Amino acid sequence: MAIDDSDAALPAVKALALAERARAAAEAPQPTPRWYGPGFALAFSVYGIAVGQALGAGWGWLAAVFAGVFAVFSGGAAAVAVRSGGVARRWAPELGPHVLSAVLQVLAAGALAAGAAWTAGGDVRWTAGAAGTAAGVAFWRACGMLNARVRRGREGAA
């Protein structure tokens, strides 16, 4: 077919539009894997409880070891999440404010739970355990909210 043939122009325009939609879909953020929120919720809880127990026993050095283990776990879990797709795969500027909000919610939940445990008379074991557990629950909730936002964005683009 000739390039200036009007019958060939319409399919070429459609093909370009289809290719652009496919590229945009491939680059769009994906929801995190199902295990990501609950896995980190458990990790935050275990970390908080372990640090509280170590500090309560007077083994501050062990808290540093737990921090290293938590960092290794976090890095490994993030690497697996990146390979399996999900929000962690690539930065999506439109999600930036929502990710920041999620981080602030996790920090606030941990701080509020620690403050409540301390105010209720809990020692460092209870305070750190409460902070870790609350931060974990907040992280799980935030992952769910981000996943819902990503899904709504994908449905709106379709």
Side-chain angles (χ1 to χ4, degrees), residues 2-152:
I3 290 177
D4 56 3
D5 184 7
S6 63
D7 290 337
L10 186 59
V13 168
K14 285 184 179 178
L16 286 172
L18 183 61
E20 177 59 28
R21 279 186 293 194
R23 182 195 62 74
E27 291 179 356
Q30 304 292 319
T32 57
R34 289 175 103 57
W35 57 265
Y36 198 72
F40 266 98
L42 179 63
F44 272 114
S45 295
V46 169
Y47 174 67
I49 292 167
V51 166
Q53 293 300 313
L55 293 175
W59 299 336
W61 62 270
L62 193 53
V65 171
F66 290 146
V69 170
F70 184 73
V72 168
F73 168 80
S74 298
V80 170
V82 166
R83 287 189 165 268
S84 65
V87 172
R89 185 154 99 195
R90 71 175 53 82
W91 175 247
E94 66 274 10
L95 292 177
H98 306 292
V99 171
L100 177 61
S101 172
V103 169
L104 293 175
Q105 289 174 32
V106 170
L107 292 173
L112 287 171
W118 181 74
T119 301
D123 65 356
V124 69
R125 295 167 201 224
W126 284 100
T127 302
T133 302
V137 170
F139 185 89
W140 190 351
R141 180 180 169 276
C143 277
M145 291 172 54
L146 284 171
N147 282 344
R149 181 165 295 283
V150 167
R151 283 189 206 96
R152 279 194 307 270

